[in-house]
Amino acid sequence: MSDRLFIFDTTLRDGEQVPGCQLNTVEKIQVAKQLEALGVDIIEAGFPISSPGDFNSVIEISKAVTWPTICALTRAVEKDIDVAAESLKYAKHKRIHTGIGTSDAHIKYKFNSNREEIIERAVAAVKYAKRYVEDVEFYAEDAGRTDNEYLARVVEAVVKAGATVVNIPDTTGYCLPTVYYEKIKYLKEHVDGIDKAIISTHCHNDLGMATANTLHGVLGGARQVEVTINGIGERAGNTSLEEIAMILKCHKGIGVDTNINTTKIYPTSRMVSSLMNMPVQPNKAVVGRNAFAHSSGIHQDGVLKNVNTYEIMNPKDVGLDENSIVLTARSGRAALKYRMSVLGVDVSDEQKVDQIYEAFLRLADKKKEITDDDVMMLAGADRTASHSIKLDFLQVTTGLGVRSVASIGLDISGQKFEAAATGNGPVDAAIKALKKIILKQMTLKEFTIQAISKGSDDVGKVHMQVEYDGSLYYGFGANTDIVTASVEAYIDCINKFKNKS
Ligand code: KIV
Ligand code: ZN
């Protein structure tokens, strides 16, 4: 009989902390519902004290989701815990996740404190959270660099205070898998009362060891893993959910089972990538575009003779529909709708499907084949519907030996504006023209152009960061014309200059 491993997804908290990955509440609800369909046990929905947006998202996700536990993060601070408890009031199953740094570096430099005082603060936070909820998870931040003997004392104290889960984060991604394994095993063997709590892993990927560490944590006795979709998260990211789920599916001998419906992995990955404007690297394990693509002659030959020669997982097990209908300008609305549903897009609103289908036909006129990324891009296209500034038209003349010239038209809350400018390239000319209409002191800080797949007719994706009034704003644009995509990304940034004149 296999042990049950609980999957704690922190895409909407640790993942969403990544610059440029911020989602609005509607998008977060969409992701949370998809995580519920995927079968995650706990959804970390946010850090409610950090902003009114996070607070509100935890409330709305709590209302929208039925069976997973909704978790809210706090520091070991009473006010944080009060706000987290308030944000969880509609959750059917609720958890407060509180904690404090336990490594010497954290104790000395972050808290200017000492080991005994940190234990007192940890215990006080757990007891305070217990006033509100039964299910309290404690995290010992930087546990990866905390010595095991002291860590065991902290864990014993918080379990005695009522913690139901103890999270042992490798916050800096420093641990070696064997060291992390020993750490978890040490806690299992040396903490009095550890059977009253579940030990959780939370591994970061700074040295590319997050998945290996998480797996070793499970081998050492952890029965909850904290993961994100596509491994997104602070710096180099967190352990990716899809990797852990598929390792456990492929290696039944490990003897732990999850509740994950692995066929929902691919649609969930696409949804998160698209909503967060965060491309998945093509060679990413399990969900990368090339994860199941056999390109060398020897491999193709082997796979054609018998798929077991080079394939350890069936693509269908992760929800990759190999026989998907190729979408072209001749594809009907039903084919598009089917593809959208496979990709995890909500297709219940027929009017919205109609709008996406019209945009699909326009794009299919320009491209031979519409890819999954294109479909996700089209499905998200109406995210700009509420923007007050929209690109009306753009005309650019450019080429070798001539200075680029751009004319631009903007629609600002229904009023039309036009301007023209020259520049050292088409994007420079277009943005200079735009700046003649929008007279704000803004500076372009980062600019990345990416083709989604292959082919000169492909959709280009543009990610931008613009600095305005001391803050950075992230924008995104996607178009078969990369100059238009760039201007759209710039306008996306400007539309986010909230409440600033
Ligand atoms: O990495 C970390 O230590 C965390 C904690 C806040 C759980 O994200
Ligand atoms: Zn983390």
Side-chain angles (χ1 to χ4, degrees):
M1 171 86 174
S2 289
D3 260 11
R4 177 79 152 77
L5 179 71
F6 294 97
I7 302 290
F8 175 115
D9 182 279
T10 184
T11 305
L12 295 173
R13 200 278 298 169
D14 223 336
E16 215 251 346
Q17 258 165 242
V18 177
C21 284
Q22 279 65 42
L23 301 178
N24 61 38
T25 303
V26 174
E27 291 164 338
K28 284 188 192 171
I29 292 170
Q30 210 182 325
V31 172
K33 284 186 165 169
Q34 182 67 21
L35 293 173
E36 179 171 37
L38 177 65
V40 310
D41 300 290
I42 303 106
I43 296 175
E44 188 162 48
F47 181 15
I49 191 91
S50 69
S51 71
D54 249 41
F55 177 81
N56 195 38
S57 298
V58 179
I59 295 217
E60 294 307 324
I61 291 170
S62 299
K63 289 183 193 161
V65 159
T66 311
W67 73 262
T69 295
I70 303 301
C71 179
L73 185 79
T74 80
R75 295 165 296 181
V77 172
E78 289 190 356
K79 181 75 188 144
D80 283 29
I81 297 169
D82 294 335
V83 173
E86 175 67 16
S87 74
L88 289 169
K89 67 180 174 203
Y90 297 108
K92 289 98 196 159
H93 315 279
K94 51 188 94 176
R95 177 183 295 179
I96 291 178
H97 189 189
T98 189
I100 196 161
T102 55
S103 66
D104 288 338
H106 278 232
I107 294 174
K108 185 168 172 203
Y109 301 115
K110 233 175 112 171
F111 302 112
N112 188 22
S113 182
N114 59 60
R115 287 184 162 195
E116 299 316 311
E117 204 177 277
I118 290 294
I119 295 185
E120 276 169 31
R121 285 169 72 171
V123 166
V126 170
K127 285 190 175 158
Y128 193 74
K130 278 295 235 194
R131 293 187 188 182
Y132 289 113
V133 293
E134 173 46 35
D135 193 1
V136 174
E137 174 169 340
F138 174 81
Y139 64 87
E141 195 178 7
D142 205 13
R145 293 188 300 165
T146 304
D147 75 70
N148 290 349
E149 214 177 303
Y150 175 63
L151 187 61
R153 286 183 54 215
V154 176
V155 170
E156 195 164 303
V158 295
V159 171
K160 210 162 151 211
T164 43
V165 181
V166 280
N167 178 12
I168 309 300
D170 183 22
T171 306
T172 58
Y174 176 75
C175 282
L176 291 170
T178 45
V179 172
Y180 195 68
Y181 166 83
E182 290 298 341
K183 192 173 282 290
I184 303 295
K185 196 157 162 274
Y186 184 91
L187 297 175
K188 282 291 277 181
E189 288 169 357
H190 292 85
V191 171
D192 254 5
I194 193 66
D195 294 342
K196 294 198 193 83
I198 291 172
I199 299 183
S200 181
T201 67
H202 179 112
C203 299
H204 280 267
N205 204 31
D206 300 64
L207 291 171
M209 296 189 287
T211 298
N213 282 341
T214 298
L215 186 61
H216 277 74
V218 173
L219 297 173
R223 286 297 174 263
Q224 175 181 287
V225 290
E226 305 197 359
V227 290
T228 60
I229 301 298
N230 301 333
I232 60 161
E234 283 277 358
R235 308 179 308 280
N238 289 59
T239 305
S240 63
L241 181 150
E242 60 276 10
E243 290 173 16
I244 289 296
M246 290 315 288
I247 289 169
L248 297 175
K249 194 175 170 78
C250 291
H251 291 271
K252 289 276 180 239
I254 292 173
V256 290
D257 264 345
T258 70
N259 187 47
I260 295 296
N261 174 354
T262 61
T263 63
K264 303 266 183 210
I265 284 178
Y266 186 69
T268 312
S269 161
R270 303 310 317 154
M271 177 191 279
V272 168
S273 166
S274 164
L275 291 176
M276 291 191 165
N277 299 325
M278 181 63 123
V280 175
Q281 74 190 62
N283 58 332
K284 165 83 181 62
V286 183
V287 290
R289 197 174 61 243
N290 296 344
F292 294 93
H294 303 280
S295 52
S296 84
I298 296 174
H299 284 209
Q300 283 177 349
D301 182 54
V303 169
L304 288 173
K305 284 178 179 144
N306 185 319
V307 77
N308 285 327
T309 50
Y310 288 101
E311 243 173 50
I312 55 162
M313 303 174 253
N314 184 338
K316 287 201 171 87
D317 283 348
V318 302
L320 236 172
D321 184 5
E322 286 173 297
N323 303 319
S324 62
I325 304 157
V326 175
L327 294 172
T328 67
R330 279 163 300 286
S331 300
R333 184 183 178 282
L336 174 69
K337 190 174 166 187
Y338 170 72
R339 195 76 210 132
M340 284 163 57
S341 66
V342 168
L343 293 171
V345 177
D346 179 9
V347 289
S348 56
D349 183 341
E350 294 294 339
Q351 220 180 335
K352 197 170 163 201
V353 176
D354 283 343
Q355 282 165 8
I356 296 170
Y357 183 57
E358 277 170 31
F360 161 83
L361 289 177
R362 282 195 296 275
L363 182 62
D365 267 348
K366 298 184 205 158
K367 289 191 74 185
K368 274 204 289 294
E369 216 178 275
I370 302 294
T371 64
D372 287 352
D373 289 290
D374 295 331
V375 173
M376 292 304 288
M377 183 270 295
L378 291 170
D382 70 349
R383 272 182 292 152
T384 59
S386 61
H387 285 178
S388 56
I389 305 171
K390 294 196 177 95
L391 181 62
D392 202 16
F393 69 83
L394 177 66
Q395 191 179 22
V396 189
T397 314
T398 191
L400 188 66
V402 291
R403 199 159 160 75
S404 302
V405 185
S407 315
I408 197 168
L410 296 185
D411 179 320
I412 304 181
S413 305
Q415 264 190 287
K416 308 279 184 193
F417 297 85
E418 290 183 22
T422 60
N424 66 7
V427 175
D428 186 44
I431 287 177
K432 281 190 173 135
L434 179 146
K435 282 180 160 179
K436 286 187 177 175
I437 304 174
I438 302 187
L439 304 169
K440 289 183 191 286
Q441 284 301 322
M442 46 199 174
T443 318
L444 181 55
K445 287 288 186 191
E446 201 178 292
F447 177 22
T448 331
I449 303 183
Q450 211 181 22
I452 291 173
S453 55
K454 35 196 178 239
S456 55
D457 60 351
D458 201 1
V459 170
K461 275 179 152 188
V462 174
H463 298 264
M464 271 189 185
Q465 280 184 38
V466 170
E467 190 179 75
Y468 171 63
D469 202 14
S471 302
L472 273 181
Y473 295 86
Y474 297 84
F476 174 72
N479 202 292
T480 48
D481 172 48
I482 53 165
V483 183
T484 303
S486 306
V487 173
E488 280 173 350
Y490 205 96
I491 292 174
D492 192 28
C493 293
I494 298 171
N495 275 299
K496 291 174 184 163
F497 296 178
K498 284 192 207 96
N499 307 323
K500 298 204 175 183
S501 53

